[in-house]
Amino acid sequence: MTDDLCLDKQLKDPAMFNQMSKMFIVVATFVVFPPNLYAEEASNPNYDADRAANAGADQYGMKHYVMAFLKRGPNRDRTEEEAKALQAAHMENIGRLADEGKLVLAGPFIGDGEVRGIYIFDVTSVEEARALTATDPAIEAGSLIMELQPWYGTAALTEVNKLHALMAETLM
């Protein structure tokens, strides 16, 4: 059977005709209305060039960071008093890193899971973040371990600590 006769037979079958019609509609839609895979970029009327430059933002308002996942470490057996002192030192270190502009976000996860919290460091390399995490007393004591990952996110995070200072009624 020639290809023409085979196609003619398929078109006479109502189920096959229906299926082929649907495929034709899908193909025709993409030809007539092609998907805009490369959306046209529009200028932002609210763009603040100085603020973007101060934050280290790229043209999309984004930048590179290193995210740290703080996980339960192998050495967590402490008295309540020791745990409280270690937590205070851990929080002091967080404050110091934030004041230096190296830590733009930190916080615990809710619950008692294996992953205890996150840090987002305003650094460009995992090595630099690793050196900063080594200054954390909870890391030094083995109470926490860190998993570090390069991350690309909004440059606006560099302003979070300033905003937090305006919103925290009680200082930690």
Side-chain angles (χ1 to χ4, degrees), residues 47-49 51-63 153-156 158:
Y47 178 66
D48 184 333
R51 203 169 196 176
N54 287 337
D58 64 14
Q59 74 185 65
Y60 303 106
M62 307 283 279
K63 69 181 288 179
T154 178
T158 61

Side-chain angles (χ1 to χ4, degrees), residues 39-51:
E40 201 172 303
E41 297 174 359
S43 294
N44 178 1
N46 300 313
Y47 178 66
D48 184 333
D50 291 334
R51 203 169 196 176

Side-chain angles (χ1 to χ4, degrees), residues 36-170:
N36 192 355
L37 299 177
Y38 303 99
E40 201 172 303
E41 297 174 359
S43 294
N44 178 1
N46 300 313
Y47 178 66
D48 184 333
D50 291 334
R51 203 169 196 176
N54 287 337
D58 64 14
Q59 74 185 65
Y60 303 106
M62 307 283 279
K63 69 181 288 179
H64 291 271
Y65 299 95
V66 175
M67 184 177 288
F69 294 93
L70 290 75
K71 297 181 176 182
R72 222 179 262 284
N75 186 8
R76 297 185 64 84
D77 192 24
R78 295 188 170 66
T79 66
E80 188 176 329
E81 187 176 295
E82 290 170 333
K84 194 172 185 177
L86 184 58
Q87 180 66 14
H90 172 67
M91 295 303 293
E92 186 177 306
N93 188 64
I94 289 172
R96 178 184 61 79
L97 291 171
D99 289 345
E100 292 173 3
K102 296 293 185 181
L103 186 62
V104 295
L105 189 97
F109 288 112
I110 306 302
D112 197 31
E114 198 64 27
V115 181
R116 307 302 298 144
I118 61 167
Y119 286 166
I120 299 179
F121 290 107
D122 188 6
V123 298
T124 56
S125 73
V126 169
E127 293 75 24
E128 189 176 356
R130 187 170 287 114
L132 294 171
T133 63
T135 68
D136 190 318
I139 297 292
E140 291 173 339
S143 180
L144 295 173
I145 58 173
M146 298 266 186
E147 178 186 320
L148 301 169
Q149 294 290 326
W151 186 65
Y152 182 66
T154 178
L157 284 181
T158 61
E159 297 190 12
V160 166
N161 288 323
K162 292 175 205 161
L163 294 171
H164 179 74
L166 299 173
M167 297 178 193
E169 184 176 346
T170 303

Side-chain angles (χ1 to χ4, degrees), residues 4-23:
D4 290 339
L5 290 176
C6 185
L7 181 61
D8 186 51
K9 186 176 180 182
Q10 288 176 351
L11 291 175
K12 289 180 182 175
D13 177 12
M16 183 60 75
F17 180 78
N18 192 20
Q19 185 177 3
M20 290 179 72
S21 296
K22 288 177 184 176
M23 289 179 5

